[in-house]
Amino acid sequence: MDFFHDTGGYGFITTEDADEDVFFHMEDVGGADLEEGQDIDFDIEQAPKGPRATNVERN
């Protein structure tokens, strides 16, 4: 994970597969909050504002 905004509950993930960072929101993550730099697994769906991570799970 590249960036996480604690207060807003969202962040961006840098991937090798996507040309741009992938947005995620904590509603897409089960369990405890994520930390910046943490490794995660996820799926990518195309949302109106660009790629969004779904099914986000911690490694």
Side-chain angles (χ1 to χ4, degrees):
M1 177 175 40
D2 185 43
F3 168 81
F4 181 66
H5 187 274
D6 280 335
T7 307
Y10 67 89
F12 292 91
I13 304 164
T14 301
T15 70
E16 296 176 6
D17 298 335
D19 291 338
E20 56 188 309
D21 290 349
V22 179
F23 172 82
F24 77 95
H25 193 276
M26 283 306 295
E27 67 188 27
D28 302 316
V29 181
D33 287 348
L34 298 174
E35 296 178 16
E36 200 168 310
Q38 186 172 15
D39 288 334
I40 54 177
D41 291 323
F42 58 94
D43 297 322
I44 298 175
E45 70 176 31
Q46 288 303 316
K49 294 183 179 180
R52 180 173 178 154
T54 60
N55 302 317
V56 179
E57 297 180 8
R58 292 159 196 77
N59 283 340

